[in-house]
Amino acid sequence: MSELRAVEIRKPGEIAEAAAAQAVPFSIEAEQQLLGALLTNNEVYDHVSRIIQAGHFYDPVHRRIYEICAERIARNALASPVTIKAFMEHDAGLKELGGPAYLARLAGAAISSHAARDYAQMIREFALRRELIGLGQDIAARASTVTVSDSAEEQIKEAEQILYKLGEQGVAERGFQSFLAAVTGALNAANAAFSRGGGLSGISTGLVDLDGKMGGLNRSDLIILAGRPSMGKTSLATNIAFNVAKVHRLGEFPDGSHGTVAGGVVGFFSLEMSAEQLAARILSEAAEVPSEAIRRGDMTEDEFRRFVKAAHDLQNCPLYIDDTPALPINQLAARARKLKRTMGLDLLIVDYLQLLRAASAKDSRVNEVSEITQGLKAIAKELDIPVVALSQLSRQVEAREDKRPQLSDLRESGSIEQDADIVMFVFREEYYREREKPADHDLDKMANWQQIMESCHGKAEVIIGKQRHGPIGTVELSFEGRFTRFGNLEKHRSWDRPE
């Protein structure tokens, strides 16, 4: 063991203060070992820089040593006891510890650079715990002072934001991986698809033709679902969420590991509708009771029984709804991580993208949306799940004769289109045709209108405008407006494989 101890770096008069400070967690020995490893091998910095920052060090002298090392290494310059000495020659704290000789002792007492990452994790852990202790003390002090302008609800909200900000410091580091590891992952995905009969590589949406075009919802994909108001974006998203959650099943994989083998746990961020409204839509589909009848309470006895039964059957469905409005993207990420850690998470849906906020103020809306879409893609990769984000379209769709949307109709389309793996649009011709109804006395136009309405009644299109790993094209679905439900059209599917 190193001879350097925590007490040795302080003046005799500070020993009592150091003993009192033991109430907060820290490890001077871990800080000394990490700095010693860094001073003897600068490559250690590449392994620990994503884990800790200078502010995580408890001892202020150690903090300054790490800052100088980090700055020199970032410039491809050597950080050693000799080179660091020049920058700390007049540092009062270092003089109290013995001056430049202390830097040499740090380097000489370092045991192994291989343990540096573990020491960095420990230093960061203790730093977070100290921040939590400080936060708790601040909350207690502020709560004990009663003022008219500082309500308890406001204090809770601010404390929650600080806690989420603390949680943000734990972003996972991936780094480089060998091609063998990447090939193994691709092989496992292909094996999973093959074992399901060759149909899907991802989670089934419950919509057969859409699955056939996309291969299901695949891990780490950001999927943008866009459309004009009243096209059914939220309805399609809730349908997919319900279809995934209701068939969720845990089991064992061929390699012996356990996890989700069917369906999935779904997280739904509803920034526009309340959780109750969203639940009512899902129950409308499940119970086959018109959504407007549920809102008005105008249900027959049989409909009410079906509604209650559906609510009972679905009460344990792994679908979790967060209806907090105007969430910043970093808070959304923190909440998604927490859900994954506590309940599991296989699919995340955000309704809708334009109602999210950037983590900090931006000089333009385009930059703000760019941060949001990059954040959503980062969540998909970090949590290894598909993320479906709904998006509004610009009004220029309405000005065209053919109102089928295209990529250029996306608001702030540059960042959304660039970051997304899949962009798909919901389009219902019936919605527009209903508004073209001619006058009753114009019999020829009325007959033609009725014929057009009959051809598009109860149908919807999902137009895949971009797909990074597959074909683009159009998928036809059925749509029952009374139950806000999308479904499969009965027809021959060319992608079906023969028995």
Side-chain angles (χ1 to χ4, degrees), residues 176-183:
F176 286 105
Q177 59 175 306
S178 69
F179 187 64
L180 174 61
V183 167

Side-chain angles (χ1 to χ4, degrees), residues 453-468:
M453 283 296 295
E454 188 176 341
S455 68
C456 64
H457 176 67
K459 293 181 180 178
E461 297 176 24
V462 174
I463 303 166
I464 300 176
K466 173 188 176 181
Q467 185 169 198
R468 208 184 295 276

Side-chain angles (χ1 to χ4, degrees), residues 1 41 52 76 86 98 111 171-172 176-177 185 208 217 225 268 280 306 412 456:
M1 287 292 291
N41 181 4
I52 62 166
N76 291 321
I111 297 175
V171 178
F176 286 105
Q177 59 175 306
V208 181
L217 304 172
L225 175 59
F268 201 118
R306 293 204 308 270
E412 299 93 17
C456 64

Side-chain angles (χ1 to χ4, degrees), residues 246-450:
K246 71 181 179 181
V247 297
H248 176 244
R249 183 166 56 85
L250 297 171
E252 185 175 337
F253 295 107
D255 62 0
S257 61
H258 291 77
T260 299
V261 294
V265 178
V266 181
F268 201 118
F269 284 97
S270 180
L271 286 82
E272 186 175 37
M273 298 171 60
S274 70
E276 290 77 12
Q277 291 171 326
L278 207 60
R281 283 201 174 196
I282 293 171
L283 288 172
S284 170
E285 176 195 355
E288 295 192 343
V289 177
S291 54
E292 66 271 13
I294 295 173
R295 284 196 303 272
R296 296 196 307 264
D298 184 20
M299 290 182 278
T300 65
E301 188 174 339
D302 180 57
E303 286 175 335
F304 184 71
R305 281 196 186 123
R306 293 204 308 270
F307 183 79
V308 172
K309 184 179 184 303
H312 182 267
D313 292 343
L314 298 176
Q315 62 183 351
N316 294 320
C317 189
L319 173 56
Y320 300 93
I321 302 169
D322 187 327
D323 60 1
T324 308
L327 264 178
I329 184 63
N330 59 336
Q331 286 196 24
L332 184 144
R335 295 184 185 199
R337 288 190 201 105
K338 181 180 178 182
L339 182 60
K340 173 103 174 178
R341 187 175 66 252
T342 56
M343 300 296 180
L345 184 60
D346 300 294
L347 170 64
L348 188 67
I349 298 177
V350 181
D351 182 16
Y352 59 92
L353 187 152
Q354 279 81 9
L355 291 179
L356 284 172
R357 291 193 292 116
S360 56
K362 299 294 176 186
D363 56 355
S364 71
R365 178 59 181 166
V366 172
N367 290 339
E368 189 172 10
V369 170
S370 179
E371 180 183 326
I372 290 167
T373 55
Q374 288 172 15
L376 291 172
K377 178 60 181 176
I379 293 169
K381 292 186 70 175
E382 179 190 335
L383 301 183
D384 197 27
I385 58 171
V387 173
V388 178
L390 279 59
S391 176
Q392 291 280 22
L393 292 178
S394 65
R395 288 193 178 92
Q396 64 188 25
V397 175
E398 314 292 342
R400 294 196 301 264
E401 185 175 345
D402 183 358
K403 294 178 171 53
R404 285 174 174 79
Q406 51 199 28
L407 290 173
S408 60
D409 296 324
L410 284 166
R411 288 183 180 177
E412 299 93 17
S413 62
S415 60
I416 298 175
E417 181 184 344
Q418 176 181 321
D419 295 325
D421 297 282
I422 297 174
V423 178
M424 53 188 187
F425 307 97
V426 187
F427 175 72
R428 292 193 300 114
E429 185 179 2
E430 183 180 13
Y431 172 84
Y432 291 107
R433 294 297 186 180
E434 280 177 345
R435 284 147 184 78
E436 297 174 356
K437 183 178 179 180
D440 292 338
H441 60 78
D442 196 335
L443 299 182
D444 288 341
K445 287 186 178 179
M446 177 61 77
N448 184 52
W449 177 80
Q450 288 176 337

